[in-house]
Amino acid sequence: MQIKLWPVVALAATVCVVARAGAPDSSFDFPPTATVMNAFDSATAHRRAHSLVSKMTLSEKLQFIHSEYAMSSVPGGGAGYIQGVPRLGIPDLNMVDSSTGSGSTSQPSTTFPSTIGVAASWDRGLSSAFGKRIAIELREQGFGMGLGGGTNLAREPRAGRLFEFLGEDPLLAGQMLAERTDGTQSQKVIATIKHFAGNEQEYNRMGGNSQIDERTLREIYLLPFEIAAKRAQPGSVMCSYNELNGTYACENSHLLSDVLKNDWHFEGQVQSDWGATHSTANAINAGLDEEEDVGSTVYLTPAAVQQAIANGSVSTARLDDMVERKLYVMIRTGVMDNPPKGGGTIDFAGANAFAQAVEEQSMVLLKNDSNQLPLSAASLSRIAVIGAHADAAVLTGGGSGNTRDPVTGAFAGCGGLTFGTSTGCGWWTNPWLKLNTPIVAAIQALAPSAQVSFAGNSDQQSPFSAYTQQQIQQAAALAARSDVAIVFVAQPAGEDFGDLQSLELANPSNQDALVEAVASANPRTIVVVESGNPVLMPWKDSVAAIVEAWYPGEGGGNAIANVLFGKVNPSGKLPVTFPVHDQDTPTWGQNGTYEANPVYAEKLDMGYRWYDAKNIAPMFEFGYGLSYTHFSYSGLSVAHRPDGALDVSFTVRNDGRVAGAEVPQVYLGVPYSGEPPRRLVGWEKVAMNPGETRHVRITVTPRMQSVWDTSRNGWRYVAGGTVYVGASSRDIRLQGS
Ligand code: BGC
């Protein structure tokens, strides 16, 4: 290890604390991305929006703050609809879910990998391309707004919607979300970021009261929103179902007005989650700009708002502000002048290739004893593929984060397996995505002279019924007579399913027994995990290699085969800690029961910060992931700039014999009471040929060195501290002050 300090400034011995409230300069904060895409600059858009509002009648304004349930002006519809005002040239606006692809109910859409996988790529460019690619499909289908920007942090590793989010670190999540937002809005589609805020579990999802102190909020849970809001200027922020510190998020004036609109200068609109509005005047005055109706109790109906204006509880100025924000967003993103027409042609082949490429960048190689991977086709005569419908499908997440009419699959408009009489369709429950090129076929294509055999669950069984003893024995027997056994395990989860009871593989419940049986039959057993959450692996030490493939999307068959056979060198790193036991997680509490009103008692010690602070060894730590090559690190230099930023530079070398990409990560130990041992403050993803050396320079802004000072209600810059550079949050290769 080489440490160089040049020039040496602000050593950690004494803690130098400089108070800097607010955001006095852009380097202190999160400046807009270089690529932020706006059809119009902010001032022009404001002028036009203002002028349009002045021409609107009261009823036209009222129709603009309330999305109609079950209405739409595109075939089949999406999630919400705001009727335009043709006499003023204001088009209709159709919105749709878009986490992993379009949630159009009846227009075929590509299913991309889950966004936790995108986070695992740590590739900002990929996240931008992901947002762009989905937005292209939305526009062709007629949608001007995509609701896919989910970024609640993985405080609760068992949370049902973890697959839709971006992991446990606020910087990683925020930067990836900013890029995705840029990509979306570059296509003249308004991006929504969600769910704001404190919506980290599904249990009691419609009414839980998340209790989070201000410092924890600012430093952890609000930070991804702040980064994305400031860097990429999303058109919309969706407030969440839960209460935050005793007030519903969609009528929480601290959240919506003090923080979002005032502190962060957010100029877009706040929309409610579907059915998350609980009042008329309270919500409006707190900062809610648009209600999304689910057909039950509605609060921002024209009649209710008109009455609130008549009795003086809502001002006409505030109504104008709500409408102007929406118009401003439509103008600025280009939706106003260039509304999506729908009925377009989608390049599904191109989208499928992109879905595959995303998956290839997302997979994380967790274990690879004696370089069992990559497989060499020439040396394999018999390959056993076992479990998780790998002969036909991959798992996807359930709920609004899924596609509803996937293009793949034999069943148009469904894409599910047959499973006896059930087609497996449905918004909430269509987790199996039938592939055009299933994993078994993709493996066979890469090993054409090998005999590839499948054993496991039958499509005629219920998708989640346990493997029978006979199936397990058959799988073990197949493994015993094969040169390699590749076992697929899957962990379904989704919105409104509740959260997982445990991180143990649950559905089917005896997947662990399947892996153990196969591993005892064949020492060359490779496990591929399809999950949106961390998974416990009691068989970790009995198997040769493990790959985390997340929910792989429709290109998953080819992508997984390419990684197994080394056509693609894995480069993903975990965006979430994989613990050894459920009991090790910060939220396990009393026997793992969920809190209806979660108290974020661990404060800043969430995710890897928890394991580091409590000295708990995880199974696989945050930031971890292997490659088919290896990298060495050297020559750390930490330079302190006059504005307080740190320039951290070092060298990474590909020491192996194949090309690969490494994600060097910079962590900082901030010497301030209550701070965890380390926080992520920067990273790069660098692709290198064998023997290639790359000089990496990462700027750590003053803000990333700051803490939230509750007594001053502002950020406090903390100089000094230790800089760690590593291949994961625990594999620290270089260290300096
Ligand atoms: C989800 C949102 C989603 C909305 C519209 C809600 O149930 O929480 O994330 O955008 O439905 O489908």
Side-chain angles (χ1 to χ4, degrees):
M1 185 168 70
Q2 246 178 293
I3 304 175
K4 185 177 158 206
L5 296 173
W6 169 259
V8 182
V9 185
L11 291 174
T14 32
V15 178
C16 160
V17 179
V18 183
R20 293 178 73 167
D25 61 53
S26 62
S27 68
F28 192 70
D29 224 308
F30 304 103
T33 54
T35 54
V36 80
M37 283 291 179
N38 288 324
F40 288 95
D41 66 78
S42 179
T44 310
H46 274 303
R47 262 196 311 279
R48 274 186 66 189
H50 193 73
S51 148
L52 275 176
V53 173
S54 70
K55 295 179 189 135
M56 287 169 86
T57 64
L58 179 62
S59 64
E60 285 166 346
K61 290 177 190 172
L62 293 171
Q63 124 197 351
F64 233 68
I65 58 168
H66 171 241
S67 142
E68 290 295 335
Y69 178 65
M71 274 185 68
S72 141
S73 55
V74 297
Y81 167 68
I82 303 271
Q83 203 179 348
V85 185
R87 74 175 187 92
L88 295 173
I90 302 172
D92 288 352
L93 184 67
N94 290 281
M95 51 191 114
V96 71
D97 284 305
S98 58
S99 173
T100 55
S102 168
S104 162
T105 51
S106 68
Q107 299 189 65
S109 317
T110 306
T111 307
F112 296 93
S114 54
T115 50
I116 192 156
V118 179
S121 78
W122 295 61
D123 184 335
R124 296 175 179 89
L126 191 77
S127 190
S128 166
F130 189 82
K132 182 171 171 182
R133 194 89 216 189
I134 292 176
I136 289 171
E137 289 198 19
L138 299 192
R139 255 193 97 80
E140 296 298 356
Q141 293 175 336
F143 297 103
M145 187 165 182
L147 308 169
T151 189
N152 297 97
L153 293 177
R155 169 180 188 260
E156 174 48 82
R158 297 169 292 166
R161 301 185 75 173
L162 224 64
F163 78 96
E164 285 185 64
F165 305 146
L166 298 163
E168 69 191 24
D169 181 79
L171 182 69
L172 175 67
Q175 297 227 3
M176 297 299 271
L177 182 63
E179 297 293 336
R180 181 192 172 141
T181 302
D182 252 1
T184 304
Q185 296 194 158
S186 74
Q187 297 309 300
K188 298 187 168 55
V189 171
I190 299 166
T192 295
I193 61 174
K194 68 186 186 183
H195 309 84
F196 195 58
N199 192 192
E200 274 76 38
Q201 65 184 43
E202 281 297 273
Y203 182 71
N204 198 19
R205 82 183 198 123
M206 300 305 279
N209 176 21
S210 299
Q211 295 158 71
I212 317 176
D213 67 87
E214 188 69 17
R215 178 171 169 198
T216 304
L217 268 176
R218 299 278 188 157
E219 289 187 32
I220 305 280
Y221 296 97
L222 298 185
L223 188 53
F225 291 98
E226 179 180 5
I227 295 171
K230 288 181 173 171
R231 285 184 64 74
Q233 302 167 9
S236 182
V237 171
M238 186 191 294
C239 50
S240 51
Y241 286 127
N242 55 287
E243 291 179 17
L244 179 65
N245 296 324
T247 307
Y248 279 112
C250 290
E251 57 188 53
N252 192 313
S253 60
H254 178 57
L255 192 60
L256 306 184
S257 291
D258 300 349
V259 175
L260 179 67
K261 292 183 176 174
N262 297 336
D263 283 7
W264 300 351
H265 307 293
F266 177 67
E267 296 181 323
Q269 61 148 181
V270 175
Q271 67 179 138
S272 71
D273 200 341
W274 270 241
T277 309
H278 293 273
S279 59
T280 306
N282 269 355
I284 290 175
N285 293 331
L288 180 70
D289 299 306
E290 177 178 308
E291 178 183 28
E292 313 301 336
D293 175 350
V294 281
S296 46
T297 317
V298 186
Y299 294 92
L300 267 57
T301 56
V305 178
Q306 214 167 340
Q307 193 189 10
I309 290 173
N311 70 24
S313 55
V314 167
S315 68
T316 50
R318 174 69 185 115
L319 174 65
D320 286 355
D321 174 50
M322 295 161 80
V323 177
E324 192 174 320
R325 281 174 177 272
K326 178 106 200 165
L327 293 169
Y328 162 78
V329 165
M330 291 173 73
I331 294 165
R332 190 169 58 72
T333 52
V335 170
M336 179 73 79
D337 296 331
N338 202 343
K341 295 186 185 64
T345 308
I346 295 171
D347 170 15
F348 284 122
N352 180 278
F354 178 72
Q356 178 184 325
V358 174
E359 176 61 8
E360 289 170 348
Q361 298 309 309
S362 299
M363 272 182 265
V364 184
L365 179 62
L366 295 174
K367 178 175 179 181
N368 194 14
D369 274 1
S370 322
N371 297 326
Q372 294 290 340
L373 289 176
L375 300 172
S376 151
S379 65
L380 300 170
S381 314
R382 289 173 309 274
I383 301 174
V385 180
I386 293 163
H389 306 290
D391 57 337
V394 290
L395 194 63
T396 63
S400 63
N402 207 344
T403 50
R404 294 176 67 185
D405 186 3
V407 278
T408 59
F411 304 96
C414 167
L417 293 178
T418 49
F419 299 127
T421 54
S422 149
T423 56
C425 299
W427 183 17
W428 305 102
T429 55
N430 65 334
W432 290 101
L433 179 75
K434 200 158 185 174
L435 297 186
N436 292 335
T437 310
I439 298 163
V440 168
I443 288 175
Q444 182 72 78
L446 294 186
S449 29
Q451 185 189 359
V452 181
S453 313
F454 178 75
N457 30 13
S458 137
D459 292 352
Q460 298 309 309
Q461 260 180 290
S462 153
F464 303 130
S465 64
Y467 292 97
T468 61
Q469 276 316 309
Q470 193 192 10
Q471 283 171 328
I472 292 181
Q473 280 158 14
Q474 280 166 353
L478 174 65
R481 55 177 192 271
S482 302
D483 302 318
V484 63
I486 310 167
V487 190
F488 288 80
V489 294
Q491 180 79 310
E495 178 183 354
D496 221 14
F497 289 175
D499 303 299
L500 302 175
Q501 291 307 302
S502 153
L503 297 176
E504 271 174 20
L505 290 170
N507 280 316
S509 56
N510 56 353
Q511 294 180 87
D512 288 336
L514 176 75
V515 177
E516 295 284 7
V518 171
S520 26
N522 189 329
R524 196 168 186 196
T525 290
I526 289 144
V527 180
V528 180
V529 183
E530 296 174 30
S531 75
N533 299 73
V535 162
L536 302 184
M537 302 178 183
W539 32 259
K540 177 186 151 230
D541 294 336
S542 337
V543 303
I546 307 171
V547 178
E548 172 59 70
W550 313 109
Y551 295 147
E554 65 169 57
N558 286 323
I560 290 170
N562 283 347
V563 163
L564 293 176
F565 283 86
K567 282 185 79 178
V568 169
N569 188 353
S571 60
K573 300 270 190 175
L574 290 179
V576 63
T577 306
F578 277 41
V580 179
H581 311 285
D582 280 310
Q583 290 79 351
D584 294 345
T585 65
T587 48
W588 185 252
Q590 293 291 315
N591 307 319
T593 46
Y594 286 98
E595 286 183 286
N597 298 304
V599 180
Y600 289 44
E602 72 288 350
K603 296 182 183 283
L604 304 174
D605 292 338
M606 188 269 284
Y608 60 91
R609 293 159 160 90
W610 166 265
Y611 296 85
D612 290 349
K614 303 286 173 204
N615 214 2
I616 300 170
M619 182 167 58
F620 299 116
E621 72 270 16
F622 174 83
Y624 169 83
L626 302 172
S627 164
Y628 295 150
T629 185
H630 41 95
F631 303 94
S632 61
Y633 289 61
S634 61
L636 174 65
S637 141
V638 182
H640 206 195
R641 295 204 313 222
D643 66 359
L646 297 175
D647 280 329
V648 178
S649 49
F650 52 90
T651 297
V652 183
R653 182 170 191 276
N654 180 349
D655 281 339
R657 272 176 288 182
V658 290
E662 173 65 322
V663 182
Q665 301 151 43
V666 179
Y667 294 85
L668 183 70
V670 178
Y672 197 80
S673 151
E675 287 300 312
R678 280 191 277 278
R679 60 162 80 156
L680 180 74
V681 290
W683 80 90
E684 261 331 311
K685 185 161 189 174
V686 277
M688 281 171 281
N689 286 318
E692 191 178 338
T693 295
R694 291 283 292 274
H695 193 63
V696 180
R697 185 174 143 181
I698 291 171
T699 300
V700 182
T701 62
R703 175 58 192 279
M704 292 315 299
Q705 304 167 55
S706 299
V707 299
W708 182 260
D709 183 344
T710 313
S711 67
R712 292 163 188 266
N713 206 25
W715 292 100
R716 175 180 279 262
Y717 170 69
V718 183
T722 306
V723 172
Y724 305 90
V725 177
S728 82
S729 61
R730 290 196 164 212
D731 183 4
I732 301 300
R733 307 287 183 88
L734 305 167
Q735 193 170 320
S737 297

